[in-house]
Amino acid sequence: PMTVRADEAPTLTVFGAASLTDALDAAVAAYRDDHPGTVRLVFESSSTLARQIEQGAPADLYLSANPRWMDYVAERGLIDTESRRQLLANSLALIAPADREADSGAADDDILGDGDRLLAALGGDGRLAMGDPDHVPAGIYGRQALTSLGYWAAIEPRVARAANVRAALALVARGETPLGIVYATDAAAEDGVRTVAAFPASSHPPILYPAAITAHAAADPARAEATRRLLDFLAGDEATAIFARFGFSQPKDAAGS
Amino acid sequence: MSDAVRPTPVEIPMPLEIDVEKRLGPRFALSVRFEAPGGVTALFGRSGAGKSSLVEMIAGLMRPDRGRIAVGGRPLFDSRAGIDLPPEKRRVGYVFQDARLFPHMTVRRNLLYGQWAGGRRQGAMTLEAVCRLLDIETLLDRRPGALSGGETQRVAIGRALLSDPALLLMDEPLASLDAPRKAEILPFLERLVHETGLPVVYVSHAMEEVIRLADTMALIDDGALAAVGPVEALTGRIDLPLLTGQGEAGAVVGARVVAHDADYALTTLEIEGGGRLQVALLSLAPGTDLRVRLRARDITLSLAPPEAASTLNVLPATVREMARADGAFVHVLVDAGAPLWARVTRLSADRLALSPGKRVHAIVKAGAIDRASLGGRTSRVPGK
Amino acid sequence: MSDAVRPTPVEIPMPLEIDVEKRLGPRFALSVRFEAPGGVTALFGRSGAGKSSLVEMIAGLMRPDRGRIAVGGRPLFDSRAGIDLPPEKRRVGYVFQDARLFPHMTVRRNLLYGQWAGGRRQGAMTLEAVCRLLDIETLLDRRPGALSGGETQRVAIGRALLSDPALLLMDEPLASLDAPRKAEILPFLERLVHETGLPVVYVSHAMEEVIRLADTMALIDDGALAAVGPVEALTGRIDLPLLTGQGEAGAVVGARVVAHDADYALTTLEIEGGGRLQVALLSLAPGTDLRVRLRARDITLSLAPPEAASTLNVLPATVREMARADGAFVHVLVDAGAPLWARVTRLSADRLALSPGKRVHAIVKAGAIDRASLGGRTSRVPGK
Amino acid sequence: MTDWLTPVEWEALGLSAKVAIWSVGLSLPLAVATAYLLTRVDFPGRSVVNGLIHLPLVLPPVVTGYLLLILFGTKGPIGGWLEDTFGIVLAFRWTGAVLAAALMGFPLMVRAIRLSLEGIDPRMESAARTLGAGRAVVFLTISLPQLMPGIIAGAILSFAKGVGEFGATITFVSNIPGETRTLSIAIYSFLQTPTGDAAAIRLTVIAVVLSMAALIASELLARRASRRVKGMEP
Amino acid sequence: MTDWLTPVEWEALGLSAKVAIWSVGLSLPLAVATAYLLTRVDFPGRSVVNGLIHLPLVLPPVVTGYLLLILFGTKGPIGGWLEDTFGIVLAFRWTGAVLAAALMGFPLMVRAIRLSLEGIDPRMESAARTLGAGRAVVFLTISLPQLMPGIIAGAILSFAKGVGEFGATITFVSNIPGETRTLSIAIYSFLQTPTGDAAAIRLTVIAVVLSMAALIASELLARRASRRVKGMEP
Ligand SMILES: Nc1ncnc2c1ncn2[C@@H]1O[C@H](COP(=O)(O)OP(=O)(O)OP(=O)(O)O)[C@@H](O)[C@H]1O
Ligand SMILES: Nc1ncnc2c1ncn2[C@@H]1O[C@H](COP(=O)(O)OP(=O)(O)OP(=O)(O)O)[C@@H](O)[C@H]1O
Ligand SMILES: [Mg+2]
Ligand SMILES: [Mg+2]
């Protein structure tokens, strides 16, 4: 499919959720190696990107960190619903500052099994850092997980709601909170934290990153074609391997477990 | 008074009409109405009388509650006709009581502001001439911030002069200048005014300046007009001590240059009625008309003409009127051809048995008539 | 001059030492050094001479490059001793040439600022007394923004007076006041100064004020001291036309009140040397010493005593010296017991054949000696 | 009366007002002192101080928030010291929101005061000193009253900034309902959810009303102050 | 020479400078006019205008960004009109970043200029009018030069804000490399990625250096302007 000449290839703009930044950078770098044309990557919170697409942003491909914002644009006819697919999956981790030993040796493995243990690990006035459960996707998943584990109500007053998952990560890395809930991908990338426990996949809905071609791209056959090639690449094996390096898993794995 | 000595109103080109009312504060209201035949109109009055406010209204910086202001028949403000020219259209040159130099410009820029930003023509005077007159050449490149009080005032005068005004408003322009400087600037103003016929409104507390420059004098007292008229008439009125404190009252008489005596550096003047006075040499051509102020306190009355005394000016006269001035003194109006006031002690008046009708000699020292008492008056340029 | 007429330096409590150098701009430097025996020291000089700068240095608002300033032996500044009292420690009452009222305070607050914020005592004067003197009662609750020029100046004077100063600095304090107002304030200042012995540095362009108030006069010319000395001496020097323009020169002589004539409202003075003068009634007790200024232009010389003339004061005298004044006039120094200057025309001098040694009569009109020529001098409070 | 707002909204409103008022109140004296130093005193390192003050304006608020976290967090050098010494905790408290708001508004306040300070006529100050007032008294009685227009302008800018600030605040003290969840943070939260628009708009209107009230009050004050400074009758 | 920055960093730096300079340049005349209106002219709705100007300060920047997006987006009423009429596109372009930065800095600028304007002695203006200068000329020759300290202060505040702005910008014009990815946005982006801290710190330093340079230049200008306004020798 190398029929398109470089100078004819449209410049593609990818709107990606901020949490995908590093992984998508690497994947698209690989794509560029053997595909013509330019790909611009724009990272922001899924909500902002969705609203910008609504206002006519020249995005060709939208990668949301959250199905709800994909639904939002879908309802408004801003994407080619045919092209929508679950691209990636992620999982949640309970983290602690790397330099701090858990307060009681017993805690680690089944700390998630018992709300009192978790509270004990927070100490007298420590907080649990997580994305704002009202709107930050990681926070929403975190709340769902703690709810299904049965002690959200006990923990809620102790939550430090961060503006995004990176801020929650920073709170833990700085030792401001003894514990935090972030994506596994974030926990893996930050040296300042260590994973205390992984949330069971069953404790929360699958963490999926849907992707879709926008109506803007779909309206122009050449652009639609090029975008589809990019999306196919991102769903392909080479990209999957790259995403895996950053801690992302495939939706079928997440769904299957 | 002969027409040669006082120009008739017909010759005066720019009559000034003032009729304003303005409430300034809860306690102070201004209500002044007069007409002046042009030339220099002095506003005289105590501190807080309303002089500066009146000048601001003429300049268009304060709006009267009602009334009319016109110069040479051209209305600047007329509440009934709905006329209110903005200040920049009034073509006044305003020397403010508080200078108001532009702090961010050099002195030169300040001086030329009227021409540079105000679109005024070069006018009668060049920058060089004004600088020389006011001795401000060395200040041209400085900024106003560190000028001395008198320097500031001189620059303010220069700025107004260089804006080619059709009416000059001067609010105590010489107040903080030294006597020699005043002695330089006054004759210049005098010449300017009399050569160009430029009408001037002049506020001053200094009687000499008023005598010297003004044709008309308006006395403002607590926001109202107390008196108005030719300077000669007003300064002769000894019922207006407000004017002058005391000791400054006197008569102003018209005079004409008759002859010069170069050897003794004396000029002979003929005053109204034919009397002659010798004064220090004047650089005025014979035939020139001028105004001489003879202060009551400088005139001695004698029954016999003095002998072997250092006084040159003796005028035969007749006592007309005796007016009590204050405790020790009596003002005596004598007719020496022209009416003159003499201020003598009551003791002397009794000794000399002065009473109306009595023939006396009025003795005036030549030295008592100095430049400050001479109001220059050359033939005016009519029209303009 | 007798000690009774001029207090000896011993009696004068607060001598003033000035010795400063200061470069102000590329073209102007000030270098003045003199001592004054206390009392009122007048700074006289042309606009831009450096008077205000000198006053600012005394107040501590401008720092001399080097020098020493001391009042009554107390150094305010001494570059060698490393003394430089901050302005608030100098206890001066400064009437600025540009008023500098605090815009955000009422007039009352301005007046009382020294007591309220400056920690000054109530001092010799009450608010009421100052308001009455300066006629500013009605202004007390106003703000300075809309005061007239003279009102502003009066409030500034009041503010300085009410700050209980140990040294009063007045920079043209009466410049924009009307004559009657001056006539009210001057005697007050006079009394204040003479009763309290408060030293004053007084800048003015008005000779009358200086004559009236000052004991010492320092003539500043272009940043340097041109002359300094007792007022009597300096005003008698006819080589200093800078002083006065012209026509103001004259002699100041010590005198003593001898008698009063209530009927004719006259006071008889005995001047140095025993001559007597009759002047308008003074409210001074017999025996009081004072200072009389006899302007050269007010004195007539005669060979014979005048007959039947309205002059009361005739002093036998001897011509001492003839000094040429200007073109028409010659100044004649006569000895009438006290030295007096007379200004006569050259023509008269020739006619009278005046020359040193000649016996003459000096004729002084009573009316020529008005309050403005009388420097009050009562017995001083020594020490303080 | 209280019906038009939900309790949660009232809480956010009250908190915003509290944070903004405290931040203005606490930073004002410091801002005046800083402005005075920068305008009148020639000390070494003046431009460094000047630069530091402007940093919160130049940096993305999130960066400022991180810096605050690093310095004033319980584990941070200053935060730890404050806690040990005075028992003052800023992290996750409304007091931390006050610090963030004060810091973000500080350059605005200092600038406004400096502008006024530069406009003060030093001749008035010297006149006051000849009347016996020392430097401090002159400052309080002459300079400060004439600074009022600048102080009011600075205060209103800082107040408005305090109401609007959220980047540094949320990063530093997070979003804890009733403690640090100010109007701005609440608005931001609602905007992040697909269904939150209506609530965001409501809160925005509240924030606007709050600030407008402060603004109008300040305008009146400022006009009076400016008339006073010019010496006009009241 | 150019080695200490990567091309991407150079790009962000250049873009930030461009956006800040344009936003200051374009908003300055408008800010002067607005300040003049608010200070000198008593028109109805004055407090509404005053309030509107302060909105960007009060609202969370994200809200301002959304409002911009809604109004000036290609589908927005003003954005659509601009595009149809003049072919000007703001959304997702650097020009939009200029608009966002200008808007966010506007209240700061207007306030600073108003402060200076209120300090101007109206007696100087009336003196100029008696010398023949009309209102406009008086404004240009008397008022404007005396406004310089305020204008400079306003410009530097607005410039700093322009460099630091990201909330409204990123919301309005997104984060498009080479087009709208200014230093602040780049810093923010780097902070959002686990490995971005070092880069974020580098860019922060660059932003600080850029703003400090502008700050120091402005201080010198301001000092000269303030000396001039006071009538001191240069
Ligand atoms: N910073 C400065 N730079 C240059 N010249 C200056 C400076 N400050 C003062 N001068 C000059 O010093 C001279 C003395 O000023 P000063 O105010 O002392 O004069 P003055 O004797 O009070 O005059 P006046 O009677 O006009 O008030 C003036 O010529 C003034 O222009
Ligand atoms: N806004 C105002 N409110 C109250 N009184 C005012 C106001 N403006 C001016 N005045 C008063 O009006 C009077 C006249 O002021 P004006 O400046 O005209 O006086 P002036 O005759 O020029 O006096 P001076 O010789 O002292 O300069 C003063 O008493 C002044 O206090
Ligand atoms: Mg006046
Ligand atoms: Mg002076």
Side-chain angles (χ1 to χ4, degrees):
Chain A
M2 305 296 284
T3 49
V4 185
R5 291 205 0 247
D7 52 350
E8 289 170 4
T11 295
L12 297 184
T13 303
V14 178
F15 272 25
S19 50
L20 292 172
T21 306
D22 282 347
L24 202 57
D25 265 342
V28 170
Y31 174 82
R32 284 199 193 97
D33 286 345
D34 47 20
H35 291 77
T38 316
V39 179
R40 287 194 306 196
L41 293 174
V42 173
F43 296 107
E44 243 288 45
S45 75
S46 306
S47 62
T48 303
L49 295 173
R51 288 181 204 268
Q52 287 174 342
I53 289 169
E54 185 183 4
Q55 293 300 328
D60 298 298
L61 188 61
Y62 175 42
L63 277 72
S64 170
N66 177 323
R68 291 204 297 157
W69 283 107
M70 190 57 91
D71 294 343
Y72 179 89
V73 289
E75 282 160 18
R76 286 162 177 75
L78 299 166
I79 56 166
D80 172 9
T81 37
E82 297 287 289
S83 65
R84 176 171 176 172
R85 65 177 87 168
Q86 310 293 7
L87 190 65
L88 296 169
N90 208 339
S91 57
L92 283 185
L94 182 70
I95 56 168
D99 57 3
R100 166 147 15 152
E101 283 310 310
D103 296 296
S104 65
D108 286 6
D109 268 345
D110 49 340
I111 185 171
L112 289 177
D114 185 344
D116 292 339
R117 283 239 188 107
L118 189 57
L119 277 175
L122 286 176
D125 56 356
R127 288 183 178 271
L128 175 69
M130 59 193 282
D132 191 333
D134 282 344
H135 62 85
V136 177
I140 296 170
Y141 292 124
R143 180 180 59 197
Q144 286 164 337
L146 293 179
T147 305
S148 71
L149 291 171
Y151 45 82
W152 166 248
I155 293 292
E156 189 183 4
R158 306 292 294 278
V159 168
R161 301 159 173 242
N164 52 53
V165 68
R166 295 289 313 167
L169 186 65
L171 287 176
V172 180
R174 292 289 320 152
E176 290 298 330
T177 61
L179 292 172
I181 299 175
V182 298
Y183 291 126
T185 49
D186 296 311
E190 171 64 60
D191 292 335
V193 302
R194 66 189 169 83
T195 301
V196 176
F199 280 88
S202 59
S203 65
H204 56 82
I207 303 172
L208 297 173
Y209 291 72
I213 297 172
T214 63
H216 161 75
D220 173 351
R223 189 168 279 280
E225 177 56 29
T227 311
R228 193 173 313 280
R229 263 200 308 276
L230 174 60
L231 182 53
D232 287 342
F233 174 83
L234 293 177
D237 293 342
E238 187 182 354
T240 301
I242 294 170
F243 284 130
R245 256 192 3 242
F246 288 91
F248 288 100
S249 51
Q250 289 302 297
K252 38 200 176 297
D253 304 341
S257 57
Chain B
M1 200 177 288
S2 76
D3 277 358
V5 172
R6 268 218 74 74
T8 57
V10 180
E11 285 180 59
I12 293 174
M14 302 287 276
L16 187 68
E17 295 166 63
I18 304 278
D19 172 14
V20 291
E21 276 177 26
K22 171 83 183 174
R23 170 150 292 282
L24 276 170
R27 285 196 240 224
F28 188 82
L30 195 72
S31 169
V32 172
R33 173 176 188 157
F34 67 89
E35 289 191 26
V40 179
T41 306
L43 297 182
F44 210 85
R46 302 196 60 174
S47 162
K51 305 178 296 297
S52 298
S53 308
L54 191 56
V55 174
E56 292 214 359
M57 287 189 256
I58 300 173
L61 299 180
M62 189 187 275
R63 196 192 157 93
D65 294 337
R66 60 144 293 282
R68 177 180 155 86
I69 298 169
V71 180
R74 169 178 175 242
L76 302 179
F77 177 83
D78 191 328
S79 58
R80 235 179 299 163
I83 297 173
D84 184 10
L85 285 190
E88 65 269 26
K89 295 274 164 60
R90 297 191 178 198
R91 246 186 98 203
V92 300
Y94 191 162
V95 182
F96 293 88
Q97 193 169 10
D98 53 350
R100 306 199 190 179
L101 300 186
F102 305 131
H104 59 293
M105 299 181 185
T106 59
V107 167
R108 186 194 309 278
R109 271 274 164 122
N110 266 280
L111 288 170
L112 293 177
Y113 188 86
Q115 288 167 39
W116 168 68
R120 298 280 171 86
R121 290 175 311 124
Q122 151 94 56
M125 267 155 302
T126 62
L127 178 65
E128 289 67 37
V130 166
C131 285
R132 220 173 310 116
L133 167 74
L134 299 164
D135 191 19
I136 51 179
E137 295 97 339
T138 55
L139 308 178
L140 281 178
D141 294 318
R142 287 184 46 195
R143 286 183 196 285
L147 295 185
S148 84
E151 287 164 348
T152 305
Q153 208 163 23
R154 283 180 275 153
V155 175
I157 296 173
R159 187 176 65 175
L161 291 178
L162 282 169
S163 70
D164 186 34
L167 168 65
L168 205 50
L169 303 173
M170 309 188 89
D171 199 347
E172 305 196 31
L174 308 183
S176 54
L177 291 184
D178 49 296
R181 192 84 63 188
K182 281 184 196 169
E184 283 161 32
I185 299 177
L186 269 174
F188 168 83
L189 283 179
E190 212 170 27
R191 237 182 307 128
L192 176 76
V193 163
H194 294 145
E195 280 170 13
T196 62
L198 182 69
V200 179
V201 174
Y202 195 91
V203 179
S204 174
H205 291 302
M207 200 58 193
E208 316 91 73
E209 293 173 21
V210 172
I211 294 289
R212 180 114 183 220
L213 286 176
D215 302 293
T216 307
M217 187 152 151
L219 228 72
I220 315 284
D221 188 22
D222 198 19
L225 188 74
V228 65
V231 173
E232 291 84 342
L234 256 72
T235 53
R237 278 173 63 182
I238 51 172
D239 63 327
L240 294 170
L242 171 70
L243 260 183
T244 54
Q246 43 165 272
E248 291 287 320
V252 176
V253 299
R256 172 171 291 170
V257 176
V258 175
H260 296 297
D261 176 347
D263 283 352
Y264 283 111
L266 293 174
T267 292
T268 305
L269 303 176
E270 183 179 301
I271 62 168
E272 303 163 46
R276 297 206 164 201
L277 295 176
Q278 281 187 298
V279 301
L281 194 65
L282 298 176
S283 54
L284 297 173
T288 309
D289 292 318
L290 53 92
R291 213 157 49 189
V292 179
R293 176 165 175 253
L294 297 170
R295 290 193 291 183
R297 50 176 266 181
D298 285 334
I299 295 183
T300 308
L301 298 181
S302 163
L303 297 183
E307 280 168 79
S310 62
T311 42
L312 300 172
N313 303 311
V314 181
L315 302 169
T318 310
V319 174
R320 284 274 172 261
E321 195 185 322
M322 313 271 297
R324 180 158 177 152
D326 61 49
F329 297 99
V330 60
H331 277 95
V332 181
L333 180 66
V334 299
D335 182 352
L340 298 182
W341 284 99
R343 181 162 169 263
V344 303
T345 55
R346 278 193 290 125
L347 179 60
S348 299
D350 282 4
R351 282 198 191 150
L352 301 181
L354 297 181
S355 62
K358 180 127 188 164
R359 308 276 317 165
V360 293
H361 294 267
I363 304 168
V364 186
K365 278 201 68 173
I369 307 170
D370 58 27
R371 285 290 291 157
S373 306
L374 292 167
R377 165 86 57 257
T378 62
S379 59
R380 239 179 234 273
V381 188
K384 153 128 197 179
Chain C
M1 198 177 291
S2 76
D3 278 356
V5 172
R6 270 221 67 80
T8 57
V10 180
E11 285 182 58
I12 294 174
M14 303 287 277
L16 187 68
E17 294 165 64
I18 305 279
D19 172 13
V20 292
E21 276 176 28
K22 171 84 184 174
R23 170 151 292 281
L24 277 169
R27 286 197 240 221
F28 188 82
L30 194 71
S31 169
V32 172
R33 173 177 189 156
F34 67 89
E35 288 191 26
V40 179
T41 305
L43 297 182
F44 210 85
R46 301 198 59 174
S47 162
K51 305 178 295 297
S52 299
S53 307
L54 191 55
V55 175
E56 291 214 359
M57 287 189 257
I58 299 174
L61 300 180
M62 190 187 274
R63 196 191 157 93
D65 294 336
R66 60 143 293 281
R68 177 180 156 86
I69 299 169
V71 180
R74 170 179 175 240
L76 302 179
F77 177 83
D78 191 328
S79 58
R80 236 181 297 165
I83 297 173
D84 184 9
L85 286 190
E88 65 268 27
K89 295 274 163 61
R90 297 192 179 198
R91 245 185 99 204
V92 299
Y94 192 162
V95 182
F96 293 88
Q97 193 169 10
D98 53 350
R100 306 199 190 179
L101 300 186
F102 305 130
H104 58 294
M105 299 181 185
T106 59
V107 167
R108 185 193 310 278
R109 272 272 165 124
N110 266 279
L111 288 170
L112 293 177
Y113 187 86
Q115 287 167 39
W116 167 68
R120 298 279 171 87
R121 290 173 312 123
Q122 151 94 56
M125 267 156 301
T126 63
L127 179 64
E128 290 67 38
V130 166
C131 285
R132 221 175 308 116
L133 165 76
L134 299 165
D135 192 19
I136 50 179
E137 295 96 340
T138 55
L139 308 179
L140 280 177
D141 294 319
R142 287 185 46 197
R143 285 182 198 285
L147 295 184
S148 84
E151 286 165 349
T152 304
Q153 208 163 23
R154 281 180 277 153
V155 175
I157 295 172
R159 187 177 65 176
L161 291 178
L162 283 169
S163 71
D164 186 33
L167 168 65
L168 205 50
L169 304 173
M170 309 189 88
D171 198 348
E172 304 195 32
L174 308 182
S176 53
L177 292 183
D178 50 296
R181 192 83 63 188
K182 282 183 196 170
E184 283 161 32
I185 298 177
L186 268 175
F188 167 82
L189 283 179
E190 213 170 27
R191 238 182 308 128
L192 176 76
V193 163
H194 294 145
E195 281 171 14
T196 62
L198 182 69
V200 179
V201 175
Y202 195 92
V203 179
S204 174
H205 292 302
M207 200 56 194
E208 314 92 73
E209 293 172 21
V210 172
I211 295 290
R212 179 112 183 222
L213 287 176
D215 301 293
T216 306
M217 187 152 153
L219 228 73
I220 315 284
D221 188 23
D222 199 19
L225 188 74
V228 66
V231 174
E232 291 85 341
L234 256 72
T235 53
R237 278 174 63 182
I238 50 172
D239 63 327
L240 295 171
L242 170 72
L243 261 183
T244 53
Q246 42 166 272
E248 292 287 322
V252 176
V253 299
R256 171 171 292 171
V257 176
V258 176
H260 297 299
D261 174 347
D263 284 353
Y264 284 113
L266 293 175
T267 292
T268 305
L269 303 176
E270 183 179 300
I271 63 167
E272 303 162 46
R276 298 206 163 199
L277 294 176
Q278 281 187 297
V279 303
L281 195 64
L282 298 176
S283 54
L284 297 172
T288 310
D289 291 318
L290 52 90
R291 213 157 49 188
V292 180
R293 175 164 176 253
L294 298 170
R295 290 193 291 183
R297 49 175 268 182
D298 285 334
I299 295 184
T300 307
L301 297 182
S302 163
L303 297 184
E307 279 169 81
S310 61
T311 42
L312 299 172
N313 304 311
V314 181
L315 302 169
T318 311
V319 173
R320 284 273 173 259
E321 195 185 321
M322 314 270 298
R324 180 159 177 151
D326 61 49
F329 297 99
V330 61
H331 278 95
V332 182
L333 180 66
V334 299
D335 181 352
L340 298 182
W341 283 100
R343 181 163 171 262
V344 303
T345 55
R346 278 194 288 126
L347 179 60
S348 298
D350 281 3
R351 282 197 192 151
L352 300 182
L354 297 181
S355 62
K358 180 129 188 164
R359 306 279 313 165
V360 294
H361 295 267
I363 303 168
V364 186
K365 277 201 66 171
I369 307 170
D370 58 27
R371 285 290 292 157
S373 307
L374 291 167
R377 164 87 57 256
T378 61
S379 58
R380 238 179 235 273
V381 188
K384 151 125 201 182
Chain D
M1 169 66 216
T2 58
D3 293 359
W4 13 290
L5 296 185
T6 66
V8 173
E9 288 168 347
W10 272 114
E11 194 179 70
L13 172 65
L15 192 61
S16 268
K18 180 163 89 171
V19 167
I21 290 171
W22 272 92
S23 82
V24 169
L26 289 180
S27 55
L28 201 50
L30 200 64
V32 172
T34 308
Y36 191 86
L37 274 181
L38 287 176
T39 317
R40 295 290 177 86
V41 187
D42 226 342
F43 59 96
R46 192 162 84 149
S47 37
V48 174
V49 171
N50 193 18
L52 280 180
I53 287 167
H54 282 78
L55 270 192
L57 206 59
V58 176
L59 296 180
V62 182
V63 174
T64 309
Y66 275 122
L67 289 175
L68 281 178
L69 192 60
I70 292 171
L71 293 175
F72 289 90
T74 39
K75 297 285 156 349
I78 307 178
W81 176 79
L82 279 177
E83 183 164 5
D84 295 346
T85 319
F86 303 106
I88 297 175
V89 180
L90 297 172
F92 307 120
R93 297 283 165 82
W94 69 272
T95 47
V98 170
L99 175 65
L103 197 72
M104 296 299 287
F106 203 64
L108 312 182
M109 216 153 178
V110 171
R111 266 291 170 178
I113 297 170
R114 277 184 65 183
L115 264 183
S116 266
L117 201 53
E118 275 163 7
I120 287 185
D121 191 343
R123 296 176 313 153
M124 294 303 152
E125 296 172 328
S126 51
R129 294 192 67 192
T130 67
L131 290 162
R135 277 181 190 281
V137 176
V138 169
F139 180 77
L140 288 175
T141 57
I142 306 294
S143 323
L144 200 58
Q146 300 201 65
L147 278 186
M148 280 321 287
I151 287 179
I152 293 169
I156 192 67
L157 284 179
S158 175
F159 183 90
K161 183 78 209 162
V163 172
E165 213 311 292
F166 94 103
T169 308
I170 200 171
T171 308
F172 178 32
V173 293
S174 164
N175 168 11
I176 298 168
E179 185 73 30
T180 64
R181 186 184 165 98
T182 60
L183 277 179
S184 285
I185 290 178
I187 293 170
Y188 175 76
S189 304
F190 282 120
L191 280 176
Q192 299 303 310
T193 49
T195 52
D197 285 9
I201 290 170
R202 271 176 73 88
L203 289 182
T204 300
V205 170
I206 295 169
V208 169
V209 169
L210 170 65
S211 304
M212 289 301 124
L215 198 65
I216 289 170
S218 81
E219 287 289 326
L220 292 177
L221 279 177
R223 201 160 310 171
R224 272 185 46 195
S226 142
R227 287 179 64 83
R228 280 187 63 145
V229 168
K230 286 184 185 150
M232 293 200 284
E233 311 288 335
Chain E
M1 170 65 217
T2 58
D3 294 358
W4 12 291
L5 296 185
T6 67
V8 172
E9 289 167 347
W10 272 115
E11 194 180 70
L13 173 64
L15 191 61
S16 267
K18 180 163 88 171
V19 166
I21 290 170
W22 272 93
S23 82
V24 169
L26 289 180
S27 55
L28 200 50
L30 200 64
V32 172
T34 308
Y36 191 86
L37 275 180
L38 287 176
T39 317
R40 296 291 177 85
V41 187
D42 226 341
F43 60 95
R46 194 163 83 150
S47 38
V48 173
V49 172
N50 193 18
L52 280 179
I53 286 167
H54 282 78
L55 270 191
L57 207 60
V58 176
L59 296 180
V62 183
V63 175
T64 309
Y66 278 130
L67 289 176
L68 282 177
L69 192 58
I70 291 169
L71 292 175
F72 289 89
T74 38
K75 299 195 179 144
I78 307 178
W81 176 78
L82 278 176
E83 183 164 4
D84 294 348
T85 320
F86 303 106
I88 296 175
V89 181
L90 296 174
F92 312 111
R93 296 281 167 83
W94 70 271
T95 46
V98 170
L99 176 64
L103 197 71
M104 295 300 286
F106 204 64
L108 311 182
M109 216 154 179
V110 171
R111 267 291 171 177
I113 297 170
R114 277 183 66 182
L115 264 183
S116 267
L117 201 53
E118 276 163 8
I120 287 185
D121 190 344
R123 296 175 314 151
M124 294 302 152
E125 296 173 327
S126 49
R129 294 192 66 191
T130 66
L131 289 162
R135 276 180 190 282
V137 176
V138 169
F139 180 77
L140 289 175
T141 57
I142 306 295
S143 322
L144 200 59
Q146 300 200 65
L147 279 185
M148 279 322 286
I151 288 179
I152 293 170
I156 193 66
L157 284 179
S158 175
F159 183 89
K161 183 79 210 161
V163 172
E165 215 310 294
F166 93 102
T169 308
I170 202 171
T171 310
F172 179 32
V173 294
S174 195
N175 169 9
I176 300 169
E179 184 73 32
T180 64
R181 187 182 163 100
T182 60
L183 275 180
S184 285
I185 291 178
I187 292 170
Y188 177 74
S189 303
F190 279 123
L191 283 177
Q192 297 306 306
T193 54
T195 52
D197 284 6
I201 292 169
R202 273 175 73 88
L203 288 181
T204 300
V205 171
I206 295 169
V208 169
V209 169
L210 170 64
S211 305
M212 288 302 124
L215 198 66
I216 289 170
S218 81
E219 287 289 327
L220 292 177
L221 278 177
R223 200 160 310 171
R224 272 185 45 194
S226 143
R227 287 180 62 85
R228 281 187 62 146
V229 167
K230 286 185 186 151
M232 293 201 286
E233 312 288 336

